[in-house]
Amino acid sequence: MAKLTQDELLAQFEELTLIELAAFVKAFEDKFDVTAAAPVAVAAVAGPGAPTEAAEEQDEFDVILDAAGDKKIQVIKEVRTLTSLGLKEAKDLVDTAGAKVLEKVAKDVAEKAKAALEGAGAKVTVK
């Protein structure tokens, strides 16, 4: 029997139905004691209360203004200090609930912005 090339084998497989091909794969696995399944990485199960993404530390944060509070003018001034917005744009941002003051900034910048805005009376979330 002549040895078939890879192209000849593929031509033969093209003629098979999916059921015939599945049966062939099963017979091949049994004959040569191998598996055609792709290896799957198994994730370790974390215990209760364990952080799921401890290995992946977040390095970009968003500073979100939840509420302006009682001292809205001070909050607008802080927003203008933190951003390059004009007075009207800063006022519109402060009036919008859940507005992002800063996006994708370092942790220390986000913490400083949060402290400044909370010092002015705003409610702020860092995500």
Side-chain angles (χ1 to χ4, degrees), residues 18-119:
L18 287 176
I19 295 172
E20 292 170 333
L21 190 56
F24 171 78
V25 170
K26 178 68 175 148
F28 187 89
E29 289 175 344
D30 292 341
K31 169 96 174 159
F32 296 105
D33 195 29
V34 294
T35 180
V40 177
V42 178
V45 177
T52 56
E53 294 185 20
E56 221 176 284
E57 187 174 328
Q58 185 177 356
D59 59 348
E60 292 181 338
F61 297 87
D62 294 339
V63 179
I64 301 169
L65 183 65
D66 295 327
D70 296 335
K71 302 176 185 176
K72 187 175 175 181
I73 294 173
Q74 269 63 19
V75 174
I76 293 171
K77 287 180 183 179
E78 285 301 325
V79 168
R80 290 191 68 201
T81 303
L82 294 170
T83 65
S84 60
L85 296 176
L87 181 61
K88 181 176 180 352
E89 292 84 7
K91 181 186 177 300
D92 291 343
L93 187 129
V94 170
D95 288 339
T96 306
K100 290 182 181 178
V101 178
L102 298 173
E103 292 184 60
K104 298 181 180 179
V105 294
K107 184 176 184 176
D108 59 334
V109 174
E111 290 300 324
K112 287 179 185 176
K114 179 180 178 182
L117 289 168
E118 286 179 343

Side-chain angles (χ1 to χ4, degrees), residues 7-29:
D7 292 333
E8 292 170 335
L9 281 171
L10 288 174
Q12 291 296 317
F13 289 135
E14 283 179 341
E15 296 175 11
L16 297 176
T17 64
L18 287 176
I19 295 172
E20 292 170 333
L21 190 56
F24 171 78
V25 170
K26 178 68 175 148
F28 187 89
E29 289 175 344

